[in-house]
Amino acid sequence: MTRIDAKFAALKDQNRKAFVAYVMAGDPDFDTSLALVRGMPGAGVDVIELGLPFTDPMADGPTIQLAGQRALEGGMTLDRTLELARRFREDDDTTPIVMMGYYNPIYSRGVDTFLEQARAAGIDGLIVVDLPPEEDEELCLPAQAAGLNFIRLATPTTDDKRLPKVLTNTSGFVYYVSITGITGAAEAQAADVGPEVARIKAASDLPVIVGFGVNSPDKAQSVASVADGCVVGSAIVKRIGDGESVDDVLAYVATLAAGAHRA
């Protein structure tokens, strides 16, 4: 059982929804990013999504693209991202970390080497947005054999014919993308999300977490109420990009977490 599996089992026992927070590793710099990640569990974050900076983030909107650019310009690399996870694990051995990014840096490192390093650093799961199920032998199956969850995205365009393929070999949780498009492009609507979450849950026993378009405590509550939890990324990353202090960003994160936990 991974930390992700253990976390969702505990949340289910507590009849509580999950709050997942995304930050870009190294944005705006290593030390600030580490301080933010270290402060997230205390702010109510159940699962941390740690973005791996990449030069061509095709699924991300301007806010997260800029965060990746800031991180890369500050010298953030795959090695430094893994180091950030290792430093976090010095004080926290229970909060799950999901690394979210693209396949190129992993492929360049070599899958076996990357998986060994990621597990040693305390990474619990992967979301790799540009590897479809047809490429499971590339990373998904080796990752799961190495003890990491491989979390897949389902979207509004994932129809009933495609859904079983998407769910095959998925573990940890299913990430439902609430809108068609890039991150930060529109607001999620619970009325639209609810039936889609129900459709996925009818086909899988995994928790379904909704991301994209969740940007306020009320929105976190409404979206989490029709799913097993929600993810907030762009709204947090924007505040980091605006230069807010670590304390102010974490205070905002706490309001989002409280919203999700009210669901």
Side-chain angles (χ1 to χ4, degrees), residues 35-108:
L36 285 164
V37 172
R38 280 178 166 165
M40 283 190 164
V45 174
D46 297 300
V47 179
I48 296 168
E49 272 186 26
L50 189 62
L52 175 61
F54 183 53
T55 53
D56 300 288
M58 62 184 182
D60 294 311
T63 298
I64 292 180
Q65 285 187 26
L66 289 169
Q69 289 177 17
R70 290 191 297 268
L72 291 169
E73 289 168 0
M76 205 62 181
T77 62
L78 174 55
D79 284 333
R80 294 280 281 162
T81 301
L82 294 172
E83 175 63 19
L84 193 151
R86 278 193 295 271
R87 296 276 297 277
F88 174 81
R89 285 282 172 240
E90 293 172 358
D91 303 311
D92 188 317
D93 194 43
T94 58
T95 304
I97 299 176
V98 176
M99 181 180 285
M100 185 171 187
Y102 299 83
Y103 186 44
N104 183 278
I106 297 169
Y107 176 80
S108 298

Side-chain angles (χ1 to χ4, degrees), residues 133-162:
E134 287 75 13
E135 306 298 335
D136 274 358
E137 291 185 1
E138 285 282 327
L139 181 62
C140 173
L141 297 180
Q144 300 199 123
L148 278 74
N149 291 124
F150 197 88
I151 296 141
R152 194 94 66 193
L153 304 180
T155 75
T157 61
T158 305
D159 60 20
D160 289 340
K161 181 178 179 181
R162 180 65 175 169

Side-chain angles (χ1 to χ4, degrees), residues 4-236:
I4 297 169
D5 299 327
K7 174 61 71 174
F8 280 105
L11 288 167
K12 184 176 181 180
D13 287 344
Q14 298 163 10
N15 194 29
R16 187 175 180 181
K17 301 301 178 76
F19 179 67
V20 183
Y22 171 96
V23 290
M24 180 68 70
D27 176 37
D29 56 65
F30 183 94
D31 290 340
T32 304
S33 182
L34 177 59
L36 285 164
V37 172
R38 280 178 166 165
M40 283 190 164
V45 174
D46 297 300
V47 179
I48 296 168
E49 272 186 26
L50 189 62
L52 175 61
F54 183 53
T55 53
D56 300 288
M58 62 184 182
D60 294 311
T63 298
I64 292 180
Q65 285 187 26
L66 289 169
Q69 289 177 17
R70 290 191 297 268
L72 291 169
E73 289 168 0
M76 205 62 181
T77 62
L78 174 55
D79 284 333
R80 294 280 281 162
T81 301
L82 294 172
E83 175 63 19
L84 193 151
R86 278 193 295 271
R87 296 276 297 277
F88 174 81
R89 285 282 172 240
E90 293 172 358
D91 303 311
D92 188 317
D93 194 43
T94 58
T95 304
I97 299 176
V98 176
M99 181 180 285
M100 185 171 187
Y102 299 83
Y103 186 44
N104 183 278
I106 297 169
Y107 176 80
S108 298
R109 174 60 49 93
V111 167
D112 291 342
T113 299
F114 167 76
L115 291 174
E116 181 180 348
Q117 293 174 340
R119 181 161 179 126
I123 300 297
D124 304 293
L126 302 173
I127 299 175
V128 182
V129 298
D130 54 349
L131 273 183
E134 287 75 13
E135 306 298 335
D136 274 358
E137 291 185 1
E138 285 282 327
L139 181 62
C140 173
L141 297 180
Q144 300 199 123
L148 278 74
N149 291 124
F150 197 88
I151 296 141
R152 194 94 66 193
L153 304 180
T155 75
T157 61
T158 305
D159 60 20
D160 289 340
K161 181 178 179 181
R162 180 65 175 169
L163 184 60
K165 186 70 172 176
V166 169
L167 295 175
T168 300
N169 298 323
T170 300
S171 65
F173 61 91
V174 178
Y175 188 133
Y176 180 67
V177 176
S178 65
I179 60 172
T180 302
I182 55 177
T183 58
E187 288 194 15
Q189 301 298 329
D192 298 328
V193 169
E196 292 299 300
V197 170
R199 184 167 66 95
I200 296 168
K201 291 183 74 67
S204 173
D205 293 331
L206 292 171
V208 180
I209 307 301
V210 177
F212 286 47
V214 182
N215 55 17
S216 70
D218 287 345
K219 186 67 68 176
Q221 180 179 2
S222 66
V223 169
S225 72
V226 297
D228 295 299
C230 67
V231 185
V232 178
S234 293
I236 297 170

